[in-house]
Amino acid sequence: MSRVESFERRTLLSTPVREYQIRRARFPSVTWRLRFELTAMSANNETQAITIFPQATADKSTAGWLVLYLM
């Protein structure tokens, strides 16, 4: 689990891995649509790379996003 060091500087405490947990009760639907956007930051907090999965999808539309069915 990641812990934020500073929201202003967008920094996390040092750790070799990141784990995120989502409480299903907050989103009761059995169908979730997922899109991941990962941003790599340089030491001086400048964006170096952005990876989006699935590729060629937009954050304003769920078209092309992964569909996760929860039973």
Side-chain angles (χ1 to χ4, degrees):
M1 178 176 273
S2 296
R3 293 184 306 164
V4 175
E5 182 178 38
S6 168
F7 284 105
E8 292 79 26
R9 295 182 310 165
R10 297 182 182 180
T11 57
L12 300 170
L13 295 174
S14 296
T15 182
V17 298
R18 299 279 183 240
E19 175 184 329
Y20 296 93
Q21 299 178 7
I22 300 170
R23 187 173 306 218
R24 278 189 65 185
R26 294 193 60 161
F27 305 96
S29 175
V30 295
T31 304
W32 290 9
R33 297 190 180 275
L34 302 173
R35 177 180 182 266
F36 299 97
E37 185 170 326
L38 306 171
T39 305
M41 307 294 279
S42 66
N44 59 356
N45 245 10
E46 293 179 7
T47 301
Q48 290 212 310
I50 298 175
T51 300
I52 297 172
F53 184 81
Q55 292 181 341
T57 58
D59 62 350
K60 304 287 186 207
S61 168
T62 59
W65 288 20
L66 299 171
V67 179
L68 177 64
Y69 298 99
L70 305 170
M71 301 290 178

Short mmCIF file of all heavy atoms in Angstrom, two decimals:
data_model
loop_
_atom_site.label_atom_id
_atom_site.label_comp_id
_atom_site.label_asym_id
_atom_site.label_seq_id
_atom_site.Cartn_x
_atom_site.Cartn_y
_atom_site.Cartn_z
N MET A 1 0.84 -1.17 0.00
CA MET A 1 0.00 0.00 0.00
C MET A 1 0.89 1.24 0.00
O MET A 1 1.85 1.31 0.74
CB MET A 1 -0.92 -0.02 1.23
CG MET A 1 -1.79 1.19 1.31
SD MET A 1 -2.93 1.10 2.67
CE MET A 1 -4.24 0.22 1.86
N SER A 2 0.58 2.17 -0.83
CA SER A 2 1.36 3.40 -0.93
C SER A 2 0.85 4.44 0.05
O SER A 2 -0.34 4.54 0.29
CB SER A 2 1.28 3.96 -2.34
OG SER A 2 1.86 3.08 -3.24
N ARG A 3 1.77 5.18 0.61
CA ARG A 3 1.39 6.29 1.49
C ARG A 3 1.95 7.57 0.90
O ARG A 3 3.10 7.63 0.46
CB ARG A 3 1.94 6.06 2.89
CG ARG A 3 1.26 4.87 3.55
CD ARG A 3 1.72 4.68 4.96
NE ARG A 3 3.17 4.59 5.00
CZ ARG A 3 3.90 4.72 6.10
NH1 ARG A 3 3.34 4.96 7.24
NH2 ARG A 3 5.21 4.62 6.05
N VAL A 4 1.15 8.60 0.89
CA VAL A 4 1.55 9.89 0.31
C VAL A 4 2.45 10.63 1.28
O VAL A 4 2.18 10.73 2.47
CB VAL A 4 0.30 10.74 0.00
CG1 VAL A 4 0.70 12.12 -0.47
CG2 VAL A 4 -0.56 10.04 -1.03
N GLU A 5 3.55 11.13 0.75
CA GLU A 5 4.45 11.97 1.54
C GLU A 5 4.03 13.43 1.42
O GLU A 5 4.02 14.17 2.38
CB GLU A 5 5.89 11.79 1.06
CG GLU A 5 6.89 12.60 1.85
CD GLU A 5 8.30 12.34 1.38
OE1 GLU A 5 8.52 12.19 0.17
OE2 GLU A 5 9.18 12.28 2.25
N SER A 6 3.68 13.85 0.17
CA SER A 6 3.27 15.23 -0.05
C SER A 6 2.30 15.30 -1.22
O SER A 6 2.62 14.83 -2.31
CB SER A 6 4.51 16.09 -0.37
OG SER A 6 4.10 17.36 -0.84
N PHE A 7 1.12 15.86 -0.99
CA PHE A 7 0.17 16.04 -2.08
C PHE A 7 0.59 17.20 -2.98
O PHE A 7 0.35 17.18 -4.17
CB PHE A 7 -1.24 16.28 -1.53
CG PHE A 7 -1.91 15.03 -1.03
CD1 PHE A 7 -2.03 14.80 0.32
CD2 PHE A 7 -2.39 14.09 -1.91
CE1 PHE A 7 -2.64 13.64 0.79
CE2 PHE A 7 -3.00 12.93 -1.46
CZ PHE A 7 -3.12 12.71 -0.11
N GLU A 8 1.22 18.20 -2.41
CA GLU A 8 1.65 19.35 -3.20
C GLU A 8 2.73 18.96 -4.22
O GLU A 8 2.72 19.39 -5.35
CB GLU A 8 2.18 20.47 -2.30
CG GLU A 8 1.13 21.13 -1.44
CD GLU A 8 0.78 20.31 -0.20
OE1 GLU A 8 1.62 19.51 0.28
OE2 GLU A 8 -0.36 20.43 0.30
N ARG A 9 3.67 18.14 -3.79
CA ARG A 9 4.76 17.73 -4.67
C ARG A 9 4.47 16.41 -5.39
O ARG A 9 5.27 15.96 -6.19
CB ARG A 9 6.06 17.58 -3.87
CG ARG A 9 6.53 18.89 -3.29
CD ARG A 9 7.82 18.72 -2.55
NE ARG A 9 7.71 17.59 -1.61
CZ ARG A 9 8.71 17.00 -1.02
NH1 ARG A 9 9.92 17.40 -1.24
NH2 ARG A 9 8.53 16.01 -0.19
N ARG A 10 3.32 15.78 -5.08
CA ARG A 10 2.93 14.50 -5.68
C ARG A 10 3.99 13.43 -5.43
O ARG A 10 4.46 12.77 -6.35
CB ARG A 10 2.67 14.63 -7.17
CG ARG A 10 1.53 15.53 -7.51
CD ARG A 10 1.31 15.58 -8.99
NE ARG A 10 0.24 16.48 -9.31
CZ ARG A 10 -0.17 16.72 -10.53
NH1 ARG A 10 0.40 16.11 -11.54
NH2 ARG A 10 -1.15 17.55 -10.75
N THR A 11 4.39 13.27 -4.20
CA THR A 11 5.40 12.27 -3.88
C THR A 11 4.85 11.23 -2.93
O THR A 11 4.00 11.51 -2.10
CB THR A 11 6.65 12.92 -3.24
OG1 THR A 11 6.25 13.64 -2.07
CG2 THR A 11 7.34 13.87 -4.20
N LEU A 12 5.37 10.00 -3.08
CA LEU A 12 5.00 8.89 -2.22
C LEU A 12 6.21 8.49 -1.39
O LEU A 12 7.36 8.75 -1.78
CB LEU A 12 4.54 7.69 -3.06
CG LEU A 12 3.31 7.95 -3.94
CD1 LEU A 12 3.11 6.78 -4.89
CD2 LEU A 12 2.07 8.16 -3.11
N LEU A 13 5.98 7.87 -0.28
CA LEU A 13 7.09 7.36 0.53
C LEU A 13 7.80 6.25 -0.24
O LEU A 13 7.18 5.51 -1.00
CB LEU A 13 6.57 6.83 1.87
CG LEU A 13 5.95 7.91 2.78
CD1 LEU A 13 5.34 7.26 4.01
CD2 LEU A 13 6.99 8.92 3.20
N SER A 14 9.09 6.13 -0.05
CA SER A 14 9.89 5.14 -0.77
C SER A 14 9.46 3.72 -0.45
O SER A 14 9.31 3.36 0.71
CB SER A 14 11.36 5.30 -0.41
OG SER A 14 11.81 6.55 -0.84
N THR A 15 9.22 2.95 -1.47
CA THR A 15 8.91 1.53 -1.36
C THR A 15 9.09 0.91 -2.74
O THR A 15 8.86 1.58 -3.75
CB THR A 15 7.48 1.31 -0.83
OG1 THR A 15 7.24 -0.09 -0.69
CG2 THR A 15 6.44 1.90 -1.72
N PRO A 16 9.52 -0.35 -2.82
CA PRO A 16 9.78 -0.95 -4.13
C PRO A 16 8.52 -1.35 -4.91
O PRO A 16 8.59 -1.63 -6.09
CB PRO A 16 10.61 -2.18 -3.80
CG PRO A 16 10.22 -2.53 -2.40
CD PRO A 16 9.91 -1.21 -1.73
N VAL A 17 7.35 -1.38 -4.26
CA VAL A 17 6.12 -1.80 -4.93
C VAL A 17 4.97 -0.87 -4.55
O VAL A 17 5.04 -0.16 -3.56
CB VAL A 17 5.73 -3.25 -4.56
CG1 VAL A 17 6.77 -4.23 -5.00
CG2 VAL A 17 5.46 -3.37 -3.08
N ARG A 18 3.92 -0.92 -5.33
CA ARG A 18 2.71 -0.16 -5.04
C ARG A 18 1.52 -1.12 -5.07
O ARG A 18 1.37 -1.89 -6.00
CB ARG A 18 2.46 0.94 -6.07
CG ARG A 18 3.57 1.96 -6.16
CD ARG A 18 3.43 2.98 -5.05
NE ARG A 18 4.44 3.98 -5.20
CZ ARG A 18 5.35 4.24 -4.28
NH1 ARG A 18 5.38 3.56 -3.15
NH2 ARG A 18 6.24 5.18 -4.46
N GLU A 19 0.69 -1.06 -4.06
CA GLU A 19 -0.52 -1.87 -4.00
C GLU A 19 -1.68 -0.95 -3.67
O GLU A 19 -1.58 -0.13 -2.77
CB GLU A 19 -0.40 -2.93 -2.90
CG GLU A 19 -1.66 -3.72 -2.70
CD GLU A 19 -1.55 -4.69 -1.53
OE1 GLU A 19 -0.46 -5.19 -1.26
OE2 GLU A 19 -2.59 -4.93 -0.88
N TYR A 20 -2.75 -1.09 -4.43
CA TYR A 20 -3.93 -0.28 -4.19
C TYR A 20 -5.12 -1.19 -3.94
O TYR A 20 -5.28 -2.21 -4.61
CB TYR A 20 -4.20 0.64 -5.38
CG TYR A 20 -3.09 1.63 -5.58
CD1 TYR A 20 -2.03 1.36 -6.44
CD2 TYR A 20 -3.07 2.81 -4.87
CE1 TYR A 20 -0.99 2.26 -6.58
CE2 TYR A 20 -2.03 3.72 -5.01
CZ TYR A 20 -1.00 3.42 -5.88
OH TYR A 20 0.03 4.31 -6.02
N GLN A 21 -5.93 -0.83 -2.99
CA GLN A 21 -7.10 -1.61 -2.65
C GLN A 21 -8.35 -0.75 -2.84
O GLN A 21 -8.35 0.42 -2.48
CB GLN A 21 -7.02 -2.10 -1.20
CG GLN A 21 -5.83 -2.99 -0.96
CD GLN A 21 -5.73 -3.43 0.49
OE1 GLN A 21 -6.62 -3.17 1.29
NE2 GLN A 21 -4.65 -4.11 0.82
N ILE A 22 -9.38 -1.37 -3.40
CA ILE A 22 -10.65 -0.68 -3.63
C ILE A 22 -11.73 -1.44 -2.88
O ILE A 22 -11.88 -2.65 -3.06
CB ILE A 22 -10.99 -0.62 -5.13
CG1 ILE A 22 -9.89 0.12 -5.90
CG2 ILE A 22 -12.35 0.03 -5.34
CD1 ILE A 22 -10.02 0.01 -7.39
N ARG A 23 -12.46 -0.77 -2.06
CA ARG A 23 -13.54 -1.39 -1.30
C ARG A 23 -14.75 -1.58 -2.21
O ARG A 23 -15.32 -0.60 -2.70
CB ARG A 23 -13.91 -0.53 -0.10
CG ARG A 23 -14.91 -1.18 0.82
CD ARG A 23 -15.08 -0.35 2.04
NE ARG A 23 -13.73 -0.15 2.59
CZ ARG A 23 -13.44 -0.14 3.86
NH1 ARG A 23 -14.37 -0.29 4.74
NH2 ARG A 23 -12.20 0.06 4.26
N ARG A 24 -15.13 -2.83 -2.48
CA ARG A 24 -16.24 -3.13 -3.38
C ARG A 24 -17.55 -2.50 -2.93
O ARG A 24 -18.39 -2.15 -3.75
CB ARG A 24 -16.43 -4.63 -3.52
CG ARG A 24 -15.48 -5.25 -4.53
CD ARG A 24 -15.82 -6.67 -4.80
NE ARG A 24 -17.13 -6.79 -5.46
CZ ARG A 24 -17.70 -7.95 -5.71
NH1 ARG A 24 -17.12 -9.07 -5.36
NH2 ARG A 24 -18.86 -7.99 -6.31
N ALA A 25 -17.76 -2.34 -1.64
CA ALA A 25 -19.01 -1.78 -1.13
C ALA A 25 -19.23 -0.35 -1.64
O ALA A 25 -20.37 0.11 -1.76
CB ALA A 25 -19.00 -1.80 0.39
N ARG A 26 -18.16 0.34 -1.97
CA ARG A 26 -18.29 1.72 -2.48
C ARG A 26 -18.78 1.74 -3.92
O ARG A 26 -19.29 2.74 -4.40
CB ARG A 26 -16.96 2.44 -2.37
CG ARG A 26 -16.56 2.64 -0.90
CD ARG A 26 -15.46 3.60 -0.78
NE ARG A 26 -15.91 4.87 -1.35
CZ ARG A 26 -15.35 6.02 -1.11
NH1 ARG A 26 -14.32 6.08 -0.29
NH2 ARG A 26 -15.76 7.12 -1.65
N PHE A 27 -18.58 0.64 -4.63
CA PHE A 27 -18.97 0.52 -6.03
C PHE A 27 -19.71 -0.81 -6.19
O PHE A 27 -19.11 -1.82 -6.58
CB PHE A 27 -17.74 0.56 -6.94
CG PHE A 27 -16.90 1.78 -6.73
CD1 PHE A 27 -15.79 1.73 -5.88
CD2 PHE A 27 -17.20 2.97 -7.35
CE1 PHE A 27 -15.00 2.85 -5.67
CE2 PHE A 27 -16.41 4.10 -7.14
CZ PHE A 27 -15.32 4.04 -6.31
N PRO A 28 -21.00 -0.87 -5.88
CA PRO A 28 -21.71 -2.14 -5.78
C PRO A 28 -21.99 -2.86 -7.09
O PRO A 28 -22.40 -4.01 -7.07
CB PRO A 28 -23.03 -1.75 -5.10
CG PRO A 28 -23.22 -0.31 -5.41
CD PRO A 28 -21.84 0.28 -5.52
N SER A 29 -21.75 -2.26 -8.23
CA SER A 29 -22.02 -2.92 -9.50
C SER A 29 -21.16 -4.17 -9.65
O SER A 29 -20.04 -4.24 -9.13
CB SER A 29 -21.73 -1.96 -10.65
OG SER A 29 -21.88 -2.63 -11.89
N VAL A 30 -21.66 -5.17 -10.38
CA VAL A 30 -20.87 -6.38 -10.64
C VAL A 30 -20.02 -6.22 -11.90
O VAL A 30 -19.21 -7.09 -12.22
CB VAL A 30 -21.76 -7.64 -10.75
CG1 VAL A 30 -22.43 -7.93 -9.43
CG2 VAL A 30 -22.76 -7.50 -11.88
N THR A 31 -20.20 -5.12 -12.62
CA THR A 31 -19.40 -4.84 -13.81
C THR A 31 -18.62 -3.55 -13.59
O THR A 31 -19.21 -2.50 -13.34
CB THR A 31 -20.31 -4.69 -15.06
OG1 THR A 31 -21.10 -5.85 -15.20
CG2 THR A 31 -19.47 -4.48 -16.30
N TRP A 32 -17.31 -3.64 -13.67
CA TRP A 32 -16.45 -2.46 -13.54
C TRP A 32 -15.72 -2.26 -14.85
O TRP A 32 -15.31 -3.20 -15.53
CB TRP A 32 -15.41 -2.66 -12.44
CG TRP A 32 -15.95 -2.66 -11.05
CD1 TRP A 32 -17.24 -2.68 -10.64
CD2 TRP A 32 -15.16 -2.66 -9.85
NE1 TRP A 32 -17.31 -2.68 -9.27
CE2 TRP A 32 -16.06 -2.67 -8.77
CE3 TRP A 32 -13.80 -2.64 -9.59
CZ2 TRP A 32 -15.62 -2.68 -7.45
CZ3 TRP A 32 -13.37 -2.64 -8.28
CH2 TRP A 32 -14.27 -2.66 -7.22
N ARG A 33 -15.50 -1.03 -15.23
CA ARG A 33 -14.68 -0.68 -16.40
C ARG A 33 -13.38 -0.08 -15.88
O ARG A 33 -13.41 0.78 -15.02
CB ARG A 33 -15.41 0.29 -17.31
CG ARG A 33 -16.68 -0.32 -17.87
CD ARG A 33 -17.28 0.55 -18.94
NE ARG A 33 -18.48 -0.05 -19.47
CZ ARG A 33 -18.50 -0.95 -20.44
NH1 ARG A 33 -17.38 -1.34 -21.00
NH2 ARG A 33 -19.64 -1.46 -20.87
N LEU A 34 -12.27 -0.58 -16.42
CA LEU A 34 -10.96 -0.17 -15.92
C LEU A 34 -10.09 0.43 -17.01
O LEU A 34 -10.08 -0.04 -18.15
CB LEU A 34 -10.21 -1.38 -15.34
CG LEU A 34 -10.88 -2.15 -14.21
CD1 LEU A 34 -10.09 -3.39 -13.89
CD2 LEU A 34 -11.02 -1.26 -13.00
N ARG A 35 -9.35 1.44 -16.63
CA ARG A 35 -8.33 2.06 -17.49
C ARG A 35 -7.22 2.51 -16.57
O ARG A 35 -7.45 3.12 -15.54
CB ARG A 35 -8.91 3.26 -18.22
CG ARG A 35 -7.90 4.00 -19.07
CD ARG A 35 -8.60 5.20 -19.74
NE ARG A 35 -7.72 5.91 -20.61
CZ ARG A 35 -7.01 6.98 -20.23
NH1 ARG A 35 -7.10 7.46 -19.01
NH2 ARG A 35 -6.22 7.59 -21.09
N PHE A 36 -5.99 2.19 -16.92
CA PHE A 36 -4.85 2.55 -16.09
C PHE A 36 -4.03 3.64 -16.79
O PHE A 36 -3.77 3.56 -17.99
CB PHE A 36 -3.95 1.33 -15.85
CG PHE A 36 -4.66 0.23 -15.12
CD1 PHE A 36 -5.22 -0.82 -15.82
CD2 PHE A 36 -4.78 0.27 -13.74
CE1 PHE A 36 -5.89 -1.84 -15.14
CE2 PHE A 36 -5.45 -0.74 -13.06
CZ PHE A 36 -6.00 -1.79 -13.77
N GLU A 37 -3.64 4.63 -16.03
CA GLU A 37 -2.76 5.68 -16.52
C GLU A 37 -1.63 5.84 -15.50
O GLU A 37 -1.87 6.23 -14.37
CB GLU A 37 -3.52 6.99 -16.69
CG GLU A 37 -2.69 8.08 -17.31
CD GLU A 37 -3.52 9.30 -17.69
OE1 GLU A 37 -4.69 9.14 -18.07
OE2 GLU A 37 -2.97 10.41 -17.59
N LEU A 38 -0.44 5.48 -15.91
CA LEU A 38 0.72 5.53 -15.03
C LEU A 38 1.65 6.64 -15.49
O LEU A 38 2.01 6.71 -16.67
CB LEU A 38 1.46 4.19 -15.04
CG LEU A 38 0.61 2.97 -14.72
CD1 LEU A 38 1.39 1.70 -14.99
CD2 LEU A 38 0.13 3.02 -13.30
N THR A 39 2.03 7.50 -14.58
CA THR A 39 2.91 8.62 -14.90
C THR A 39 4.23 8.46 -14.17
O THR A 39 4.25 8.32 -12.95
CB THR A 39 2.26 9.96 -14.49
OG1 THR A 39 0.98 10.05 -15.11
CG2 THR A 39 3.12 11.13 -14.91
N ALA A 40 5.32 8.46 -14.92
CA ALA A 40 6.66 8.42 -14.33
C ALA A 40 7.16 9.84 -14.17
O ALA A 40 7.07 10.64 -15.11
CB ALA A 40 7.61 7.62 -15.21
N MET A 41 7.65 10.15 -12.99
CA MET A 41 8.12 11.50 -12.70
C MET A 41 9.64 11.48 -12.52
O MET A 41 10.20 10.52 -11.99
CB MET A 41 7.47 12.04 -11.43
CG MET A 41 5.96 11.97 -11.43
SD MET A 41 5.19 13.03 -12.64
CE MET A 41 5.24 14.57 -11.79
N SER A 42 10.30 12.55 -12.93
CA SER A 42 11.74 12.68 -12.72
C SER A 42 12.01 13.14 -11.30
O SER A 42 11.09 13.46 -10.54
CB SER A 42 12.32 13.68 -13.72
OG SER A 42 11.83 14.97 -13.45
N ALA A 43 13.27 13.20 -10.93
CA ALA A 43 13.65 13.62 -9.58
C ALA A 43 13.18 15.04 -9.25
O ALA A 43 12.91 15.35 -8.10
CB ALA A 43 15.17 13.51 -9.42
N ASN A 44 13.06 15.89 -10.26
CA ASN A 44 12.60 17.26 -10.02
C ASN A 44 11.10 17.42 -10.29
O ASN A 44 10.62 18.51 -10.54
CB ASN A 44 13.42 18.26 -10.83
CG ASN A 44 13.35 18.00 -12.31
OD1 ASN A 44 12.76 17.02 -12.74
ND2 ASN A 44 13.97 18.86 -13.10
N ASN A 45 10.38 16.30 -10.24
CA ASN A 45 8.92 16.27 -10.34
C ASN A 45 8.38 16.70 -11.70
O ASN A 45 7.28 17.22 -11.80
CB ASN A 45 8.27 17.12 -9.24
CG ASN A 45 7.47 16.27 -8.29
OD1 ASN A 45 7.54 15.06 -8.33
ND2 ASN A 45 6.73 16.93 -7.44
N GLU A 46 9.12 16.45 -12.75
CA GLU A 46 8.64 16.71 -14.10
C GLU A 46 8.20 15.39 -14.72
O GLU A 46 8.81 14.35 -14.50
CB GLU A 46 9.73 17.35 -14.95
CG GLU A 46 10.09 18.75 -14.50
CD GLU A 46 11.19 19.36 -15.35
OE1 GLU A 46 11.59 18.76 -16.36
OE2 GLU A 46 11.66 20.45 -14.99
N THR A 47 7.12 15.43 -15.50
CA THR A 47 6.62 14.22 -16.14
C THR A 47 7.63 13.71 -17.15
O THR A 47 8.08 14.45 -18.02
CB THR A 47 5.28 14.50 -16.83
OG1 THR A 47 4.35 14.97 -15.86
CG2 THR A 47 4.74 13.26 -17.51
N GLN A 48 7.99 12.43 -17.03
CA GLN A 48 8.93 11.83 -17.97
C GLN A 48 8.23 10.92 -18.97
O GLN A 48 8.58 10.90 -20.13
CB GLN A 48 9.99 11.03 -17.23
CG GLN A 48 10.95 11.90 -16.47
CD GLN A 48 12.33 11.28 -16.41
OE1 GLN A 48 12.45 10.12 -16.07
NE2 GLN A 48 13.32 12.04 -16.75
N ALA A 49 7.26 10.14 -18.49
CA ALA A 49 6.57 9.21 -19.38
C ALA A 49 5.17 8.94 -18.83
O ALA A 49 4.96 8.90 -17.63
CB ALA A 49 7.34 7.91 -19.49
N ILE A 50 4.24 8.74 -19.75
CA ILE A 50 2.88 8.36 -19.38
C ILE A 50 2.53 7.10 -20.16
O ILE A 50 2.69 7.05 -21.37
CB ILE A 50 1.87 9.47 -19.71
CG1 ILE A 50 2.19 10.74 -18.92
CG2 ILE A 50 0.45 9.01 -19.42
CD1 ILE A 50 1.34 11.93 -19.27
N THR A 51 2.09 6.09 -19.43
CA THR A 51 1.67 4.83 -20.03
C THR A 51 0.18 4.66 -19.78
O THR A 51 -0.27 4.78 -18.65
CB THR A 51 2.44 3.64 -19.44
OG1 THR A 51 3.83 3.83 -19.67
CG2 THR A 51 1.98 2.33 -20.05
N ILE A 52 -0.57 4.38 -20.83
CA ILE A 52 -2.01 4.20 -20.73
C ILE A 52 -2.35 2.79 -21.20
O ILE A 52 -1.86 2.33 -22.23
CB ILE A 52 -2.76 5.24 -21.59
CG1 ILE A 52 -2.48 6.64 -21.05
CG2 ILE A 52 -4.26 4.95 -21.62
CD1 ILE A 52 -3.00 7.75 -21.92
N PHE A 53 -3.20 2.10 -20.41
CA PHE A 53 -3.64 0.77 -20.79
C PHE A 53 -5.12 0.65 -20.51
O PHE A 53 -5.55 0.97 -19.40
CB PHE A 53 -2.88 -0.33 -20.01
CG PHE A 53 -3.26 -1.70 -20.47
CD1 PHE A 53 -2.68 -2.22 -21.61
CD2 PHE A 53 -4.19 -2.43 -19.78
CE1 PHE A 53 -3.04 -3.49 -22.05
CE2 PHE A 53 -4.56 -3.69 -20.21
CZ PHE A 53 -3.97 -4.21 -21.35
N PRO A 54 -5.90 0.19 -21.46
CA PRO A 54 -5.58 -0.13 -22.83
C PRO A 54 -5.16 1.12 -23.62
O PRO A 54 -5.67 2.21 -23.38
CB PRO A 54 -6.86 -0.71 -23.41
CG PRO A 54 -7.76 -0.97 -22.26
CD PRO A 54 -7.29 -0.11 -21.14
N GLN A 55 -4.25 0.90 -24.53
CA GLN A 55 -3.74 2.01 -25.34
C GLN A 55 -4.85 2.62 -26.18
O GLN A 55 -5.85 1.97 -26.49
CB GLN A 55 -2.63 1.52 -26.28
CG GLN A 55 -1.38 1.11 -25.56
CD GLN A 55 -0.31 0.64 -26.53
OE1 GLN A 55 -0.57 0.30 -27.67
NE2 GLN A 55 0.92 0.63 -26.06
N ALA A 56 -4.67 3.86 -26.56
CA ALA A 56 -5.59 4.60 -27.43
C ALA A 56 -6.99 4.74 -26.82
O ALA A 56 -7.98 4.81 -27.54
CB ALA A 56 -5.66 3.98 -28.82
N THR A 57 -7.09 4.77 -25.48
CA THR A 57 -8.37 5.04 -24.82
C THR A 57 -8.29 6.42 -24.18
O THR A 57 -7.22 6.95 -23.94
CB THR A 57 -8.70 3.99 -23.75
OG1 THR A 57 -7.65 3.94 -22.78
CG2 THR A 57 -8.89 2.61 -24.37
N ALA A 58 -9.45 6.98 -23.92
CA ALA A 58 -9.52 8.33 -23.35
C ALA A 58 -10.14 8.29 -21.96
O ALA A 58 -10.92 7.39 -21.64
CB ALA A 58 -10.35 9.24 -24.26
N ASP A 59 -9.80 9.28 -21.15
CA ASP A 59 -10.36 9.33 -19.80
C ASP A 59 -11.78 9.88 -19.77
O ASP A 59 -12.46 9.78 -18.76
CB ASP A 59 -9.44 10.11 -18.86
CG ASP A 59 -9.27 11.56 -19.26
OD1 ASP A 59 -9.69 11.95 -20.36
OD2 ASP A 59 -8.71 12.33 -18.45
N LYS A 60 -12.24 10.46 -20.85
CA LYS A 60 -13.59 11.05 -20.90
C LYS A 60 -14.65 10.09 -21.43
O LYS A 60 -15.83 10.39 -21.42
CB LYS A 60 -13.59 12.30 -21.79
CG LYS A 60 -12.61 13.35 -21.37
CD LYS A 60 -13.05 14.05 -20.12
CE LYS A 60 -12.09 15.19 -19.83
NZ LYS A 60 -11.99 15.54 -18.46
N SER A 61 -14.24 8.91 -21.92
CA SER A 61 -15.16 7.92 -22.47
C SER A 61 -14.69 6.53 -22.06
O SER A 61 -13.49 6.26 -22.07
CB SER A 61 -15.18 8.03 -24.00
OG SER A 61 -15.84 6.91 -24.55
N THR A 62 -15.62 5.64 -21.73
CA THR A 62 -15.24 4.27 -21.34
C THR A 62 -15.11 3.34 -22.54
O THR A 62 -14.85 2.15 -22.36
CB THR A 62 -16.28 3.68 -20.36
OG1 THR A 62 -17.56 3.67 -20.98
CG2 THR A 62 -16.32 4.48 -19.06
N ALA A 63 -15.24 3.86 -23.76
CA ALA A 63 -15.08 3.03 -24.95
C ALA A 63 -13.68 2.42 -25.00
O ALA A 63 -12.68 3.14 -24.89
CB ALA A 63 -15.34 3.86 -26.21
N GLY A 64 -13.60 1.10 -25.09
CA GLY A 64 -12.33 0.42 -25.20
C GLY A 64 -11.70 0.06 -23.85
O GLY A 64 -10.65 -0.59 -23.81
N TRP A 65 -12.29 0.46 -22.76
CA TRP A 65 -11.74 0.14 -21.44
C TRP A 65 -11.92 -1.35 -21.16
O TRP A 65 -12.79 -2.01 -21.73
CB TRP A 65 -12.46 0.93 -20.34
CG TRP A 65 -12.14 2.39 -20.31
CD1 TRP A 65 -11.63 3.16 -21.31
CD2 TRP A 65 -12.35 3.27 -19.20
NE1 TRP A 65 -11.51 4.47 -20.89
CE2 TRP A 65 -11.96 4.55 -19.61
CE3 TRP A 65 -12.87 3.10 -17.95
CZ2 TRP A 65 -12.03 5.66 -18.78
CZ3 TRP A 65 -12.94 4.21 -17.09
CH2 TRP A 65 -12.52 5.46 -17.52
N LEU A 66 -11.12 -1.88 -20.26
CA LEU A 66 -11.25 -3.26 -19.83
C LEU A 66 -12.56 -3.41 -19.06
O LEU A 66 -12.98 -2.50 -18.35
CB LEU A 66 -10.10 -3.66 -18.93
CG LEU A 66 -8.70 -3.59 -19.52
CD1 LEU A 66 -7.67 -3.81 -18.44
CD2 LEU A 66 -8.54 -4.61 -20.62
N VAL A 67 -13.20 -4.58 -19.18
CA VAL A 67 -14.41 -4.84 -18.42
C VAL A 67 -14.10 -5.96 -17.44
O VAL A 67 -13.63 -7.02 -17.82
CB VAL A 67 -15.58 -5.24 -19.34
CG1 VAL A 67 -16.83 -5.54 -18.53
CG2 VAL A 67 -15.86 -4.14 -20.35
N LEU A 68 -14.38 -5.70 -16.18
CA LEU A 68 -14.15 -6.67 -15.13
C LEU A 68 -15.51 -7.07 -14.54
O LEU A 68 -16.28 -6.22 -14.11
CB LEU A 68 -13.27 -6.04 -14.03
CG LEU A 68 -12.96 -6.87 -12.80
CD1 LEU A 68 -12.13 -8.09 -13.18
CD2 LEU A 68 -12.22 -6.03 -11.77
N TYR A 69 -15.80 -8.39 -14.58
CA TYR A 69 -17.05 -8.91 -14.03
C TYR A 69 -16.77 -9.50 -12.67
O TYR A 69 -15.97 -10.42 -12.54
CB TYR A 69 -17.65 -9.97 -14.96
CG TYR A 69 -18.02 -9.42 -16.32
CD1 TYR A 69 -17.18 -9.59 -17.41
CD2 TYR A 69 -19.21 -8.71 -16.51
CE1 TYR A 69 -17.51 -9.07 -18.65
CE2 TYR A 69 -19.56 -8.20 -17.75
CZ TYR A 69 -18.69 -8.38 -18.80
OH TYR A 69 -19.01 -7.86 -20.04
N LEU A 70 -17.43 -9.00 -11.65
CA LEU A 70 -17.23 -9.47 -10.27
C LEU A 70 -18.40 -10.35 -9.88
O LEU A 70 -19.54 -9.95 -9.96
CB LEU A 70 -17.12 -8.27 -9.33
CG LEU A 70 -16.06 -7.25 -9.71
CD1 LEU A 70 -16.21 -6.00 -8.87
CD2 LEU A 70 -14.68 -7.84 -9.54
N MET A 71 -18.09 -11.54 -9.45
CA MET A 71 -19.14 -12.48 -9.05
C MET A 71 -19.22 -12.55 -7.55
O MET A 71 -18.34 -12.43 -6.83
CB MET A 71 -18.84 -13.87 -9.60
CG MET A 71 -18.74 -13.88 -11.09
SD MET A 71 -20.38 -13.62 -11.77
CE MET A 71 -20.05 -13.61 -13.47
#
